[in-house]
Amino acid sequence: MHRARLNLLSTLLCLAVLANPCLSAAVKSKDWWETAQFYQIYPRSFMDSDGDGIGDLNGITSKLEYLKDLGVTAAWLSPIFTSPMVDFGYDISDFFDIQPEYGTLDDFRALIKKAKELDLKIILDFVPNHSSDENEWFKKSVKREKGYEDYYVWHDGKVNAETGKREPPSNWLQAFRGSAWEWNDVRQQYYLHQFAVQQADLNYRNPLVVEQMKRVLRYWLDLGVAGFRCDAVPVLFEIETDENGQYADEEVSGLTDDVDARNYLKSDLIENRAETIDMAYQWRVVMDDYQRIHGGDTRVLLIETYAPPAYTMQFYGNRSVEGAHLPFNFNLITGPASDGVSASSIKTAVDSWLNNLPPGRTANWVIGNHDQRRAASRYGAANADAMNMLVMILPGASVTYQGEELAMTDGEISWEDTQDPAACNSNADIYEQFTRDPSRTPFHWTSGTNAGFSTAQKTWLPLAPDYATVNVETESSAERSHLKIYKALVELRKTSTTLQKGSTKYGVLKENVFVVKRYLSGSESIVYVANLASKGITVDLYEFDKTLPTHLNLLIRSLQSSKKENALFEVYELSLAAGEALVLSTI
Ligand code: GLC
Ligand code: MG
């Protein structure tokens, strides 16, 4: 059939599907990413194969079987590209090559090959907002070489009428403290950097930049990746200059007195702009076109955004256009307090995602990443299983940051050992407020030297102190462990149609008990109940749901639980120890 007619036909079909939600549910079977278990690898800290104290690609390849064994669907790797490592790979000097410390393109090909053999998908970090100041593009832009003049956001700055001195174009602040503008002596202009001085913001109002970055996407797709986690997307565009060629100043926010901290100013002018959403839609076209031309499974876009729901949800797309498959849901990170978690804070976090989710879109749940303190430290180690259960019982995709399956906690990093620019830009007295090093300490494989991560004398960051007990080896051989609970959960997600397709009901019981029910006609219901309090309690699940049967069968229990699996428990009088979390099912 003629292509245009085919397109028209499929459009009509889609319209019919859109107009009839029942039909859409029946026609649409779940794509791989909708029920996926994503796993974030921080390459520098996962596995070191060559004894230099730094994780690398061959290290990752050697551990892919571990991911397979966990039941992971896709691993996303923090940046592995050539970089001076000012921001540990988020400052890319060559978007088309591998950082030598991490290996070579051939090592990367070997990694992809092995992953394919194991039926694991590999997702890369796409860092669109900025490049390293050592990138060729930046060097050419500094020299105003043809085609590169406007690759970055350059400005003359302003002359202060009183002092006669030149000043930055605006009061905008970078994420890692201090001005977002840096003077370049050669070009005699300021350039914008929303992150470190060495991370120059690319100019997305230049079509050459937009095209170049799409080339980056296609280049790695050609090498066999299953998609991208897109870094720091909300800051892609800033407000344009006014009619006098000047940038507006931000207003003071009143949130902090620290004039160097990003939240000292409002930052409306430099993030969450409308043009940014459109760019994500354009990247989606790149993904879909690629699949259409080359076949294979859906190539996915995961978007990093810490924006308000009204903005974040737009990344999904709308009735007429597709956007990212999954804008990350960080509500469970940003909502609960940094020193613990409560049932009501979980409820608020879940409400804020599910009540704002556009129809037909897939939810996702994230409890940690390389920018946050580790989940087990933030929620309290006692709640580690409860939180791993929660993200796997709630509907949609779930994301694990390396080590969450073991309940790894934060490392302790002295000022002398500090590496993260967010901390290094501060001082010895206050760096712990900013440092992201504690969640980046090496992964724990064994109870031996360097936790089996490396044979080096010194690893790039010191090991977290609990590695002798919290590690893969110990937790695999223990009768019960966080790791074993995690694996049971992944297995349940894979086999339970209710978890994959069912509806969701949730709520708070007594002071601090969170309950979720997943249900699907014709299948068993799954009930999650977690006592997040520090004391035991007895609850009546009928207060949550009157339609439950009198007894539920226990499938999975947190380490605190002394109940027995495959035994029945009365729902109207369910006693829960402190920190006890259960996954039960109807029979
Ligand atoms: C993202 C990354 C973070 C990095 C920043 C700048 O937020 O997750 O690690 O420092 O972007 O690229
Ligand atoms: Mg190494």
Side-chain angles (χ1 to χ4, degrees), residues 312-338:
T312 298
M313 294 299 166
Q314 293 178 51
F315 281 111
Y316 274 115
N318 53 46
R319 274 170 187 276
S320 50
V321 57
E322 289 297 318
H325 298 79
L326 302 170
F328 278 141
N329 171 5
F330 294 141
N331 288 353
L332 289 168
I333 294 176
T334 54
S338 57

Side-chain angles (χ1 to χ4, degrees), residues 23 32 51 59 108 133 146 165 176 206 214 263 312 344 372 385 416 435 468 491 504 512 555 578 583:
L23 188 59
W32 71 266
F108 182 70
D133 61 347
K146 196 164 173 323
K165 279 199 182 145
F176 302 147
N206 179 348
K214 289 180 183 170
N263 56 2
T312 298
S344 63
Q372 311 294 335
D385 297 325
E416 288 69 34
T435 182
E491 185 57 29
T504 309
N512 216 348
L555 300 177
V583 177

Side-chain angles (χ1 to χ4, degrees), residues 549-567:
T550 55
H551 292 79
L552 291 171
N553 181 40
L554 179 60
L555 300 177
I556 306 171
R557 61 195 168 111
S558 66
L559 273 189
Q560 291 90 337
S561 174
S562 52
K563 297 187 174 58
K564 290 268 166 296
E565 276 103 3
N566 297 317

